Each structure stands twice: as C-alpha cells, then as structure tokens.
Amino acid sequence: MMIAFTKMHGLGNDFIVIDGRENMPALDEATIRRLCDRRFGIGCDQLVLLSAPTLAGADVGVRFFNPDGSEAGACGNASRCVAWLLGNAPTLQTPAGLLPTQQNGSLITVNMGKPRFESGDIPLSHACDTLHLPLQDAAACSMGNPHATVFGDITRAKTLGPAMETDSLFPERANIGFAEIISRSHMRLRVWERGAGLTLACGSGACAAVVNAVRRGLTERSCTVTMDGGDLHITWLENGDILMAGPAMTVFYGTTV
C-alpha cells in the first residue's frame, strides 16, 4: 500500500504527517516503528495521523504515535504543524480534547487546554504531592500526557531521563523535562520524551514546565522557553488554559510503501 505523507517540524521536533481523512491507511505498531526509524524508514520523533472529526466544533481528528509504536495523548509541536499544514486556524480533535488554533504570519498558537494536577489524572502509581514528587523533587502535571519537571541542571536530561521515564511512579511512563530558570520570564529546557528520547523541542513539555514553575513561584505566567531547537512562548491564562506559540515548517512531501 502506497502512503502519502508530509514531513514537518516545529523547532526541530520532526513529524511524519499522514492525511487519512478520505483514505485511512492500515498502520499497525510494526509499520509505525518502521516509518519512524531514521535508518530503515523516513525518520521522525512522532507520526501524526489525521482523520475525519467526530466531535462538533472540530475540523480534523489528530492522533500522535511515538517511534516505538505507542500512542501519545498530546503533542504541542505536532499540533502547530497540523494547523500550519491545513491553514484557516483549524480546531483539532485530539485524545487530550479539542485544541483551537490561531495563525499570525508564521506564528502558530495552540490553546493546549487546562493542566491537571491530581495524582490519578497524571497518572501516578500512588497519591503524593505533585508539586514535590519523591523522585528528584520533580513537579508533575498532565497536559493530556504525563509530565514531570526537574528544576536545576539541564545537562542531566540524557542521564536521568531514561530511568525517570520508566520509574514505577509513572504507570504509563512520563515525559521528563529539565528546566533552568534564567529569569522570571525566561527558562532553558530539555525534555526526555516518553517513547522518543531526547528531542530538540517538546511543546507540551514546555507548557508543563511553565505551569510547574509558576506553581513553585519561579516564573510569571507568561514565559519564553528556550529549547535546543529554538523558542516557544507559553502563557498560562487566568482561566486555566495554556497558550503555546511558535513556528512550524513543511520540509518535504513523499510517498512510502
């Protein structure tokens, strides 16, 4: 079966986007792993599958898959890429809910919804203080997918990230952010992504890092997050919604078997 795709990236966080709205391809875990492989396939941090929406108010259904074939609940950078690809500021139907988007020139803004902080919502294997986990004193929240943020030395991302991702505290594994506070409106962040490893950028991870920093009194509610691939601008609104703004880019189009 020939599958048409678009290769895209947001700050170097790269994606294979497959439009299945009219003709849905059969994608099992083995096929997803093959397509995501950087040596034997196309290569990406995540595969994004578009479908016809099923909820009122949505323009397109969006699912996110990690390189290991597992499904992710949310991806901020991929959401911006989909909005850029489709144009006209679509509302995305994702496993994390409906995500409205806006476009201002090359800047795409996604309303990532409201974070959740209860142990069962993240989820954690047992109830504990989500602002100070008994694991590297990380702070945790859900952005539709589980996140934990460690404040301090970001060079620990590659060494601590793998073990923290799979720690028994996280029954569904977790995305682990390592954040250094530069000022009240600026932080440096690296994210070890669940099922993908260390990536150049992570949109939902940037949102989680700002939320957790605000909860600890470290930053203002509007903050620039500098990652290896570039900057995202995160604003945690007073109504609880989180706005994530940044660029997206189409790299090339192709067809694979």
Side-chain angles (χ1 to χ4, degrees):
M1 180 181 179
M2 304 294 287
I3 302 174
F5 68 90
T6 304
K7 183 68 183 290
M8 305 188 73
H9 80 85
L11 301 181
N13 193 193
D14 63 334
F15 310 100
I16 298 168
V17 183
I18 296 175
D19 192 344
R21 287 177 294 175
E22 296 183 2
N23 184 21
M24 180 62 69
L27 295 177
D28 56 19
E29 284 193 9
T31 301
I32 291 171
R33 289 196 298 268
R34 176 176 60 83
L35 294 177
C36 293
D37 191 283
R38 296 191 182 277
R39 294 187 181 274
F40 296 98
I42 303 163
C44 66
D45 290 322
Q46 283 185 325
L47 184 146
V48 182
L49 183 61
L50 308 185
S51 63
T54 59
L55 295 179
D59 296 300
V60 61
V62 188
R63 295 173 69 189
F64 312 100
F65 296 91
N66 297 315
D68 63 2
S70 62
E71 186 167 1
C75 180
N77 286 322
S79 297
R80 287 203 323 281
C81 285
V82 171
W84 175 259
L85 180 66
L86 299 184
N88 298 317
T91 295
L92 314 182
Q93 179 184 331
T94 76
L98 296 183
L99 306 183
T101 69
Q102 301 175 15
Q103 182 172 345
N104 183 9
S106 61
L107 196 68
I108 304 293
T109 300
V110 179
N111 186 327
M112 296 289 289
K114 295 176 172 60
R116 291 177 292 174
F117 307 111
E118 295 299 320
S119 298
D121 291 332
I122 292 171
L124 303 179
S125 59
H126 59 271
C128 59
D129 180 1
T130 61
L131 194 53
H132 294 278
L133 296 181
L135 180 65
Q136 299 294 326
D137 192 35
C141 69
S142 171
M143 287 300 308
N145 52 355
H147 284 274
T149 310
V150 180
F151 293 96
D153 183 3
I154 66 172
T155 64
R156 298 177 293 171
K158 198 168 184 177
T159 54
L160 289 182
M164 291 186 67
E165 173 199 355
T166 58
D167 191 271
S168 60
L169 184 61
F170 305 112
E172 298 179 6
R173 298 183 293 167
N175 302 282
I176 312 298
F178 295 82
E180 176 188 351
I181 305 302
I182 298 172
S183 73
R184 296 283 298 175
S185 60
H186 189 195
M187 74 167 64
R188 181 76 170 87
L189 178 70
R190 302 189 83 193
V191 179
W192 181 272
E193 289 198 44
R194 176 180 61 167
L198 195 62
T199 57
L200 292 175
C202 178
S204 60
C207 294
V210 171
V211 165
N212 287 328
V214 171
R215 293 169 71 204
R216 286 199 177 180
L218 301 175
T219 67
E220 305 297 339
R221 298 180 75 94
S222 184
C223 189
T224 297
V225 180
T226 298
M227 291 169 287
D228 290 350
D231 291 351
L232 287 177
H233 305 283
I234 310 298
T235 301
W236 189 13
L237 301 176
E238 294 294 340
N239 70 0
D241 288 352
I242 302 175
L243 302 182
M244 175 201 62
M249 181 173 290
T250 300
V251 182
F252 61 86
Y253 303 95
T255 305
T256 187
V257 294

